[in-house]
Amino acid sequence: MKAVQVTLLVQDMELEERIINLEERCGKLDVSLQAVFQAAALTMPNKAFIDILLGLSDLKISDMEEAERMKRLFGLFKIHRKGKSEKDGEGTLIANLNHDSIFFPEEGVKYALSKLWEQAEDGELTLSELQKRLQQVADWISIV
């Protein structure tokens, strides 16, 4: 990869480690680091620019990771309308529950979803644990 080669030319181990980290994260999202670099507007390859580029790429990958987590989280719920939801379910998820005339403690559900999101984001929950807890929220909604 051109960016990695440029980085190796400057012999900066910190930049190399950051690139490896970004490549691993991109691999989990099935996107190339080069595509992220292009999205972050690659221009002149010098050390200062590469440092800025890596920072911008990190932010871009974080956005993509958050979108992927959000998609997996809310993909566990049956959604009739498509759209975005906040971490607490506000948006499409809550709108779908209301649209289907499902009675539920809205503030409690929002709180539970927010907490689950925070725990998942902090790495405190595996995907399996998250799915189990989301099912508990869904079960709680259905018995209320």
Side-chain angles (χ1 to χ4, degrees):
M1 175 177 281
K2 206 174 219 181
V4 173
Q5 291 167 345
V6 170
T7 303
L8 293 176
L9 289 176
V10 296
Q11 298 296 309
D12 190 321
M13 293 303 292
E14 181 182 333
L15 292 179
E16 185 178 356
E17 288 174 12
R18 289 173 67 189
I19 287 173
I20 291 168
N21 177 276
L22 292 175
E23 286 178 327
E24 289 172 356
R25 290 170 59 199
C26 284
K28 292 176 185 175
L29 295 168
D30 197 29
V31 65
S32 71
L33 183 57
Q34 185 174 4
V36 174
F37 281 173
Q38 290 171 349
L42 180 59
T43 57
M44 295 178 53
N46 61 44
K47 183 179 176 182
F49 176 77
I50 291 171
D51 189 48
I52 292 167
L53 179 64
L54 291 174
L56 292 173
S57 297
D58 182 54
L59 292 173
K60 181 71 175 167
I61 293 169
S62 293
D63 289 346
M64 294 166 69
E65 288 170 333
E66 184 170 339
E68 185 64 27
R69 281 191 298 268
M70 192 68 98
K71 188 167 66 174
R72 276 188 267 146
L73 175 70
F74 291 114
L76 298 173
F77 290 91
K78 187 174 183 178
I79 304 293
H80 303 290
R81 296 186 212 170
K82 298 202 185 276
K84 293 187 177 184
S85 292
E86 298 296 320
K87 294 176 183 181
D88 65 356
E90 186 65 49
T92 303
L93 180 63
I94 298 295
N96 272 289
L97 292 171
N98 287 327
H99 177 267
D100 292 346
S101 301
I102 297 173
F103 175 78
F104 64 100
E106 188 169 330
E107 293 306 313
V109 169
K110 286 180 176 181
Y111 177 79
L113 291 174
S114 292
K115 282 301 195 186
L116 287 175
W117 181 268
E118 289 171 16
Q119 291 174 334
E121 193 169 46
D122 292 340
E124 297 172 21
L125 296 174
T126 65
L127 182 57
S128 174
E129 292 169 328
L130 177 60
Q131 289 172 328
K132 184 177 177 183
R133 299 241 181 116
L134 283 171
Q135 185 59 54
Q136 290 172 340
V137 171
D139 292 345
W140 177 49
I141 291 171
S142 65
I143 62 171
V144 172

